[in-house]
Amino acid sequence: FLYSAIFENEKTAIFLSVLIILCIFVFLLIFTMSMMYKSFVQSGGKDLYLNFIFIFAQLIGFFTLIISSFNSMFNSKEHNILSSLPVKREHIFMTSYVELYVSFLVSMLMIVLPGLGVYQYYEGFSLTFTLRALPGYILFPALPATVVTFVMFAVMWSHK
């Protein structure tokens, strides 16, 4: 590894390597968001920047949901184990739904947080804007997560 000559502990070297890669990714993401904001402002639509950020985050989140639901349908052995136990199907469904919802929120957070940070950097920090955007960020992913979850379980239970 890159840091193995400096650090004796391999876990520390791996952690620092991942941390450096993550910092570079965050820097590039913020730089890209800043350039996008400037181009939207030049074209006269700083509100379009916010719309673009949320639409792009929804697309990233939707693809994350598709991948997550595929993994839980075809690569997970938890459902076979849980179906043999005295666990209600509703509990299995809710657990899978919450798991998909959280993965959707995290994937959206990777786009929305830097995007809103860049927006508030150039426009000035506004607590009211932040408080209005937070419930929308938390509640809006519920619809795509619900649709993908129902499709996933319909396919899963039709193959039983």
Side-chain angles (χ1 to χ4, degrees):
F1 283 105
L2 180 65
Y3 299 106
S4 59
I6 299 171
F7 298 103
E8 294 177 14
N9 189 354
E10 188 175 337
K11 288 183 181 181
T12 305
I14 291 171
F15 174 75
L16 287 177
S17 299
V18 169
L19 186 64
I20 288 172
I21 291 170
L22 185 63
C23 288
I24 291 170
F25 174 75
V26 168
F27 172 76
L28 290 175
L29 184 63
I30 290 173
F31 179 75
T32 304
M33 296 281 184
S34 178
M35 297 303 289
M36 285 176 27
Y37 176 81
K38 289 177 183 178
S39 67
F40 274 109
V41 167
Q42 285 178 352
S43 66
K46 60 184 166 186
D47 291 334
L48 291 176
Y49 169 76
L50 290 175
N51 292 340
F52 175 77
I53 292 299
F54 279 104
I55 289 170
F56 185 65
Q58 287 293 319
L59 286 173
I60 295 295
F62 187 72
F63 287 118
T64 302
L65 278 177
I66 290 172
I67 292 169
S68 298
S69 64
F70 177 80
N71 284 335
S72 65
M73 264 194 317
F74 298 110
N75 296 334
S76 177
K77 296 182 181 177
E78 294 175 4
H79 295 290
N80 294 336
I81 294 170
L82 289 175
S83 63
S84 66
L85 295 174
V87 177
K88 293 183 181 179
R89 282 188 168 185
E90 294 84 19
H91 293 134
I92 297 171
F93 175 79
M94 284 306 294
T95 303
S96 296
Y97 176 77
V98 169
E99 179 184 339
L100 289 174
Y101 184 75
V102 168
S103 70
F104 193 100
L105 283 176
V106 169
S107 64
M108 275 187 60
L109 182 68
M110 292 187 307
I111 303 298
V112 170
L113 190 63
L116 290 178
V118 166
Y119 181 82
Q120 289 199 359
Y121 175 78
Y122 287 110
E123 295 297 315
F125 179 75
S126 171
L127 184 62
T128 57
F129 175 78
T130 305
L131 292 177
R132 283 188 346 215
L134 188 62
Y137 166 73
I138 292 171
L139 295 176
F140 191 70
L143 180 63
T146 303
V147 168
V148 169
T149 304
F150 280 129
V151 169
M152 177 189 73
F153 278 102
V155 170
M156 185 179 76
W157 283 335
S158 69
H159 285 90
K160 272 192 158 186

